[in-house]
Amino acid sequence: MMLTPAQTIGPFFSHALPWPDGPHVVAADAPGAFWLRGRVLDGAGEPVPDALIESWQADPDGRLGGPFRGFGRCPTDPHGWWAIRTVKPGPVPGAGGRPQAPHLALSVFARGLLHRVVTRVYFADEPTANAADPVLSGLPEPARGTLVAGQTEDGYRFDIRLQGEHETVFFAV
Amino acid sequence: MTYSRVHPPLRWPAYRSTLRRAPSSPLVTLPPGLTEQTGPAGAALLGDHQVDPLDHDLTRQHPSEPLGERIIVHGQVRDAGGRPVPDSLVEIWQTNAAGRYPHHADQHPAPLDPNFTGVGRCLTDPAGNYRFVSVKPGAYPWRNHDNAWRPAHIHFSLFGRAFTQRLITQMYFPGDPLFDQDPIFNSVPAAARPALVSRFDLSQTVPEWALAYRFDIVLGDTPVEEEG
Ligand SMILES: [Fe+2]
């Protein structure tokens, strides 16, 4: 069957799609909870103030779905910042059942993006698992580094550069 | 049809906002793992923000009825294999009948309607069907090019059953004279554009009350669930 084509989310979704606890993948008191924060920047290095970030991930035991919501949604603010509160996912097998490093799947929607772009968030404090990850290790440096969230005071930071120098790696899924 | 024959390219110069936002590098192929082959099912992704039974009726969210031509918008959500996608969240947003969004960034001089927000949600039924009640949205101007107007449209957001099936798109109305000059509609390969246009559906109109349009949606393949 012919797929329905994608179209841009446009600039006028912020009264429609976000909701108050959208950024809270886990409850405030969940063990190990942290903030994953970042900015979305365009090809000129300018902040993208009208993007929507969505995340999907396993629970700390590597289970997807079920009682664990696993989903986060956050619009960017006027300076391009977004944040979700979550926990580090457990190990999830990749294509062919190969082990992978802990990661989140991320979708970015924005005016000017005719289709979402998809990326993955890995964690800087998992160097051994990251080195063995089949997706990460298949990427050349410095592209690989664009997928690794650095540690911060209250969690991790993951900037998304849509275009140009240090462009984030985006995947076709 | 393959991906590139259906979805628009990310860089589409006629739509100026793509110029600084479309990635320059080609997308990297990602053989889907379990993370991508699963996704939030039903309303679970909404947490405490559950779907209200009235969320599908955009004409009953305020004390009075909105102005405009009352319409029913309905259809079936299926996957690429033709299988219905049940119990899946559908979100829509649209302008009022005058072409205005109640959004701080929409300041063009068309009237707001105090009885219309233009936001709806529902879950697909066991056969993958959804149904909204609304008013027909208006065209609106934008600054992409000289005298640019968007054809009337309703924004749709769909989840399917897997991360790979996530889709945001726009539904248009048949015969719109603004199609030819709209770079967003025309970013889609010509053969796939008809899939974005709803069809007038006399069978679902309600006499003396509402017109009806049908918009069927086809998401990507549903990943095969492994038996546990
Ligand atoms: Fe719109």
Side-chain angles (χ1 to χ4, degrees):
Chain A
M1 301 186 67
M2 188 196 284
L3 302 183
T4 303
Q7 293 271 266
T8 180
I9 194 171
F12 302 124
F13 61 82
S14 64
H15 64 301
L17 295 183
W19 70 94
D21 77 341
H24 294 262
V25 179
V26 295
D29 58 354
F34 56 78
W35 283 102
L36 173 66
R37 305 175 192 276
R39 293 180 88 189
V40 182
L41 302 165
D42 70 12
E46 296 293 324
V48 175
D50 50 6
L52 185 74
I53 304 296
E54 288 183 353
S55 65
W56 172 244
Q57 66 171 96
D59 73 7
D61 297 319
R63 288 176 299 216
L64 287 139
F68 183 70
R69 189 173 101 183
F71 177 78
R73 173 184 275 180
C74 185
T76 53
D77 74 9
H79 306 289
W81 284 96
W82 57 276
I84 62 167
R85 189 160 175 84
T86 189
V87 291
K88 197 185 278 186
V92 170
R98 292 183 62 185
Q100 301 180 102
H103 63 276
L104 277 65
L106 226 60
S107 298
V108 183
F109 302 90
R111 169 178 65 85
L113 288 177
L114 282 161
H115 195 3
R116 68 168 172 170
V117 289
V118 167
T119 188
R120 271 188 176 190
V121 180
Y122 290 88
F123 299 91
D125 55 352
E126 298 280 351
T128 309
N130 288 347
D133 183 87
V135 176
L136 262 192
S137 60
L139 297 169
E141 282 290 7
R144 188 186 307 172
T146 69
L147 302 187
V148 181
Q151 287 179 276
T152 61
E153 267 182 15
D154 64 352
Y156 298 88
R157 176 159 178 180
F158 187 80
D159 289 338
I160 298 163
R161 291 181 174 80
L162 292 175
Q163 184 189 86
E165 201 179 356
H166 308 301
E167 183 174 304
T168 301
V169 171
F170 298 109
F171 295 105
V173 296
Chain B
M1 275 195 167
T2 62
Y3 179 98
S4 62
R5 288 184 180 161
V6 173
H7 294 301
L10 287 166
R11 184 182 157 83
W12 187 252
Y15 175 26
R16 288 194 325 195
S17 295
T18 68
L19 294 176
R20 279 187 174 173
R21 292 186 170 188
S24 325
S25 302
L27 301 180
V28 175
T29 301
L30 178 67
L34 202 55
T35 308
E36 291 78 23
Q37 290 173 327
T38 54
L45 62 91
L46 289 167
D48 295 333
H49 183 67
Q50 289 299 303
V51 177
D52 184 275
L54 270 183
D55 282 353
H56 79 285
D57 190 337
L58 287 67
T59 69
R60 289 198 285 169
Q61 298 173 348
H62 297 275
S64 298
E65 283 203 281
L67 292 174
E69 188 181 321
R70 196 183 291 111
I71 59 172
I72 291 159
V73 176
H74 74 110
Q76 187 185 30
V77 183
R78 284 173 292 175
D79 68 11
R83 288 175 291 257
V85 179
D87 190 34
S88 186
L89 182 66
V90 182
E91 300 165 288
I92 64 168
W93 68 105
Q94 63 165 89
T95 69
N96 66 24
R100 181 85 186 265
Y101 288 102
H103 185 287
H104 62 87
D106 184 0
Q107 295 294 331
H108 92 278
L112 290 166
D113 184 338
N115 292 308
F116 195 71
T117 305
V119 176
R121 306 187 300 178
C122 73
L123 293 171
T124 55
D125 74 10
N129 295 309
Y130 72 88
R131 181 175 181 273
F132 291 101
V133 180
S134 188
V135 296
K136 195 170 181 187
Y140 60 86
W142 59 315
R143 293 176 178 161
N144 183 74
H145 55 276
D146 183 46
N147 196 19
W149 292 79
R150 294 297 330 281
H153 59 273
I154 299 178
H155 295 268
F156 269 73
S157 159
L158 299 117
F159 284 86
R161 323 260 342 142
F163 180 79
T164 51
Q165 293 176 304
R166 182 81 177 95
L167 180 73
I168 287 185
T169 189
Q170 300 180 27
M171 180 204 103
Y172 299 88
F173 292 87
D176 197 310
L178 293 168
F179 285 153
D180 285 351
Q181 61 81 58
D182 182 46
I184 294 179
F185 179 73
N186 289 306
S187 66
V188 170
R193 283 175 213 156
L196 292 176
V197 183
S198 60
R199 64 177 173 80
F200 177 66
D201 185 359
L202 188 68
S203 75
Q204 292 298 307
T205 57
V206 179
E208 299 186 36
W209 193 73
L211 297 176
Y213 292 87
R214 184 175 178 105
F215 182 55
D216 292 324
I217 296 163
V218 182
L219 305 176
D221 280 317
T222 306
V224 179
E225 287 175 24
E226 289 177 36
E227 299 298 326

